[in-house]
Amino acid sequence: MTNLVAISDARANLQRLVNRVNEKLDRIVITINGQPKAVLLSEEELESLEETSEILAIPEALKRIKKGEEQIKKGQFVSLENIDK
């Protein structure tokens, strides 16, 4: 969930906002004069975004992901229980 917070409110409530983004994985958009200027998000969410970016930078990655999704929809997969069989 994304929330807009004025920079003055962010300053006054920084510890509460940091706790919120870590506990609820919220994103806080910090505004100055009503304009979005920065985003506060958890370290965990930042890592996830960076990992996704790295994966999608691999040539053909998105194409392979979509192919896998189509195969799953068609039932063309091996369940975890059957991998060792």
Side-chain angles (χ1 to χ4, degrees), residues 1-83:
M1 179 177 216
T2 302
N3 298 284
L4 297 175
V5 176
I7 194 166
S8 56
D9 293 335
R11 228 183 263 119
N13 298 293
L14 186 58
Q15 185 172 354
R16 183 179 60 80
L17 295 174
V18 169
N19 290 339
R20 190 164 116 195
V21 298
N22 279 295
E23 292 168 7
K24 298 182 181 181
L25 297 180
D26 279 354
R27 292 182 191 177
I28 307 294
V29 177
I30 299 171
T31 63
I32 298 175
N33 297 324
Q35 298 298 313
K37 297 294 180 179
V39 177
L40 179 65
L41 58 114
S42 72
E43 191 271 338
E44 178 183 352
E45 189 169 0
L46 176 60
E47 277 187 18
S48 176
L49 290 169
E50 289 172 339
E51 288 173 9
T52 300
S53 177
E54 287 176 20
I55 290 168
L56 293 177
I58 299 168
E60 300 290 318
L62 187 56
K63 184 178 177 181
R64 291 178 186 170
I65 291 168
K66 287 184 179 187
K67 181 180 178 184
E69 289 174 339
E70 288 300 318
Q71 289 174 323
I72 290 169
K73 286 179 187 175
K74 293 176 183 176
Q76 300 171 339
F77 61 89
V78 177
S79 69
L80 188 57
E81 295 87 28
N82 294 326
I83 286 180

